[in-house]
Amino acid sequence: MRDTELTSVPDETARAWRWLVATARRTAEDGLVVGTSGNVSVRVGEDLVLVTPSGVPYDRLGPGHLVGVGLDGRRRLGTAEPTSELPLHLAVHRATGARAVVHTHAVHATAVSTLVDELPPVHYMTAALGGPVRVAPYAAYGTPELAGATLAALRDRTACLLRNHGTVAYGDDLDQALDRTAQLEWMCRLWLLASSLPGRSPTLLTPAQLDEAARRLRHYGRPAAAGDDAGPTPEG
C-alpha cells in the first residue's frame, strides 16, 4: 500500500497511524506476539481511536489497512475489520484516559498468568506499573466479560496479565505503552527464572520498598527540584 493513501486524512491521524504500525511491528520483532496475535490502539484527539485490523500480519500493515472508530465503537475511518479485541481497547480508553493500549501474547507473561493471581514483586520496576501486577480471570477473547475483567485488574495499575491469554498495558503514548509491556514481560521472565530452582524462593520487595521506588520513579528522567528527597534515579 502506498503511503500517499494517507493524504485523505488529517496529518495528526496519518502520523498516529504510522506510529501505530511501527509499534505493532515492534511487538512482533521483539517476540511479544506471533502471527496475527495481539493488537495495538492509539487515541487521536478526544474521540478517535485507531486500531490494528483483524487478521493482518504486522509486516503487511500499510496505509490501506487504516481503521478508526469512535469511543462508542462506531466506524470513523477505513474499511478493514477492526481487531477482535476492540471492546477491550475501547473499555481501557474510556475508563483510564489512556492515549495508547498494547495487548500481546508475550510467552513469559502468559506463562505466569497460568500460575498465580498476581505477579510477585521481584523487582522495583513493579512500582512503575502502579504496584504488583494482577491477573484478570479468564474470559473468551473479544467479549465484554474480558473487557470488564481487564478493567478490574487495571485498577490503580497501568498493566495487567490476562489468565491463559497475555498482557495489556497502556500509556500516555505508544512508546510508553510498549515500554510497559516489555517491562512486564521482563519481570515475568525474571520471576520464572528465580522461582525455578528447587527448594529456593525468590526474595520479594515489601510494600514500603515499592513505595520508595515509586517516589523515585516519579522523578526519573527529570531534574530534581529544590528540596526533592527522591535521591538518585534508576540506572539507565
Side-chain angles (χ1 to χ4, degrees):
M1 300 291 180
R2 298 186 306 277
D3 197 59
T4 53
E5 293 179 31
L6 291 177
T7 56
S8 61
V9 301
D11 289 345
E12 182 184 13
T13 302
R15 286 193 299 269
W17 177 253
R18 294 187 190 99
W19 195 359
L20 180 147
V21 170
T23 301
R25 289 175 177 167
R26 277 282 307 280
T27 65
E29 293 164 2
D30 294 349
L32 299 171
V33 301
V34 176
T36 60
S37 66
N39 23 78
V40 180
S41 67
V42 63
R43 195 162 167 181
V44 182
E46 291 302 313
D47 190 45
L48 177 64
V49 179
L50 306 183
V51 297
T52 46
S54 178
V56 180
Y58 291 156
D59 60 354
R60 299 180 192 172
L61 277 180
H65 298 114
L66 172 69
V67 181
V69 301
L71 286 175
D72 59 3
R74 295 182 181 180
R75 182 186 295 274
R76 299 284 185 82
L77 295 170
T79 58
E81 188 67 21
T83 171
S84 59
E85 295 292 9
L86 181 61
L88 183 154
H89 283 263
L90 292 180
V92 175
H93 280 284
R94 287 193 296 257
T96 68
R99 303 303 298 182
V101 180
V102 173
H103 165 52
T104 78
H105 293 179
V107 64
H108 297 96
T110 304
V112 169
S113 80
T114 71
L115 298 172
V116 295
D117 294 327
E118 183 178 272
L119 174 64
V122 290
H123 193 272
Y124 66 76
M125 286 304 289
T126 298
L129 302 180
V133 177
R134 305 183 187 98
V135 180
Y138 180 79
Y141 74 88
T143 62
E145 290 76 18
L146 179 60
T150 300
L151 290 185
L154 283 174
R155 189 184 73 255
D156 301 322
R157 303 288 188 268
T158 55
C160 72
L161 299 173
L162 308 180
R163 179 85 70 198
N164 296 84
H165 187 157
T167 72
V168 173
Y170 70 88
D172 294 333
D173 57 34
L174 285 161
D175 284 346
Q176 187 178 61
L178 181 59
D179 180 68
R180 286 171 172 167
T181 301
Q183 291 286 356
L184 176 55
E185 168 68 354
W186 181 83
M187 286 193 293
C188 286
R189 184 181 182 189
L190 173 64
W191 180 74
L192 287 170
L193 287 170
S195 60
S196 64
L197 189 62
R200 301 296 298 273
S201 297
T203 301
L204 303 179
L205 298 179
T206 66
Q209 289 169 331
L210 289 177
D211 287 345
E212 179 189 19
R215 287 195 302 271
R216 289 171 175 260
L217 287 167
R218 279 197 292 270
H219 302 278
Y220 180 59
R222 296 190 286 118
D228 212 337
D229 63 353
T233 55
E235 310 95 304

